[in-house]
Amino acid sequence: MKPQGNLDSGSLITQSSGRDQYNGFWGTACSELVQRRMVLMIIVARCRKGSPGTPGAKMLILEGGRTVGTIGGGIMEARAQERARTAFFSSSYEPKLVEVDHFLGSEQSSGLVCGGGQTNIIVRLSPSQDLDTIRKFVLNLISDMPSVIEISPQGIKLTDHVSSSFFHQRLIQKGDCWKFELGSVNLKRCAIYGAGHCGQALARQLNWLGYSVKIFDARLEHRLEVSDLGIETSNIGHPNETPTIVRFPRHTSAIVMTHSYQTDVDALEFALRMDFRFIGLMGTPPKLNRIYKTLTDRGFNRAQLTNITCPVGIAIGSDTPEEIAVSVAAQILQTQKTGNESR
């Protein structure tokens, strides 16, 4: 997966999904720095119940006044922007950790009354100091190369990922000392087997939600219908040909909705051997019973087969491909947010 465009010229077009992590946010930051303009970045590092800003929410404030992203909205966000903008006029500015409470009467009130609170990190990115770091981080995002961007009062730096466990972000704090780490690997991932109407609708839905999506189908005409969205497609021919394409399966949901019974079985066999974090099949109980028998004949036991969720999707009475996509996407989100990989 290679980027198209030139980071040195500020142009960044990729062949991957997950718009927030590529063009929309980090690509904008990189482009501004390439054009020798400073960028302010606010990231929500943690929150307490009731907060509109949740960990991972982030915002850019550009020199021209435009903003990209959100940290929760409302008067809280307006005040955070006002505070951050002073960094544009400072001769030097170190990253700051800012606590705000969303209730009246607090000395650090955000102006909101919804309860809870959040911890924001404010960073000023400078072309002379931070361009190389942000450029490398963007390239790592695009290529799924594990690395960590580290923010502390000392500044911002990029390190290779040396831990065996991946993470999205984490705040490490001890007294007045702190550092914030953000991983480059998008842990919202899905492999879709089948590029028919339902597969295409699901790919679009997950792409909009910021997932790294790959869709597999041997039929060229169906793959072409989603390739214009920047969603990566592949002519698998057979699911067993995809191990080198599907990276980080333990962080990936596999959804099977192919055009035939045989390709469904082949995709499920591959998914069971790859140890995906969640496996879903579009189908009915009679179809699943038949698939169970076929997969049993191929050497799978009952415990392994219970890892298949069928029918996949939250029961909302969905009928159309778009409604089915919402239902399946909701279940993928649910399993990822709760850690309950319902089978």
Side-chain angles (χ1 to χ4, degrees), residues 255-257 278-288 292 308-316 318 324 327-328 331 342-343:
I255 306 299
V256 178
M257 41 180 55
F278 176 79
I279 302 172
L281 169 67
M282 186 173 70
T284 60
K287 175 182 178 179
L288 180 62
Y292 272 4
I308 301 171
T309 294
C310 179
V312 66
I314 292 175
I316 58 173
S318 52
I324 291 170
S327 167
V328 176
Q331 187 168 37
S342 53
R343 305 292 172 92

Side-chain angles (χ1 to χ4, degrees), residues 69-96:
T70 179
I71 57 168
I75 189 172
M76 176 272 296
E77 185 168 289
R79 288 182 176 179
Q81 288 185 48
E82 182 180 359
R83 176 172 183 166
R85 287 182 196 278
T86 61
F88 278 131
F89 310 103
S90 301
S91 57
S92 63
Y93 189 87
E94 67 179 33
K96 289 179 170 53

Side-chain angles (χ1 to χ4, degrees), residues 82-154:
E82 182 180 359
R83 176 172 183 166
R85 287 182 196 278
T86 61
F88 278 131
F89 310 103
S90 301
S91 57
S92 63
Y93 189 87
E94 67 179 33
K96 289 179 170 53
L97 197 67
V98 181
E99 302 274 357
V100 294
D101 297 321
H102 302 319
F103 51 85
L104 300 179
S106 169
E107 293 182 357
Q108 48 197 26
S109 173
S110 67
L112 298 177
V113 295
C114 53
Q118 64 192 71
T119 303
N120 299 329
I121 294 174
I122 303 176
V123 186
R124 184 179 73 179
L125 302 177
S126 163
S128 60
Q129 295 179 338
D130 304 310
L131 174 57
D132 286 346
T133 298
I134 298 302
R135 179 190 284 126
K136 290 174 184 176
F137 187 64
V138 170
L139 291 173
N140 288 344
L141 283 168
I142 295 169
S143 59
D144 263 349
M145 182 67 66
S147 63
V148 174
I149 199 164
E150 180 182 303
I151 303 171
S152 72
Q154 286 69 50

Side-chain angles (χ1 to χ4, degrees), residues 39 230 321 326:
V39 179
V326 170

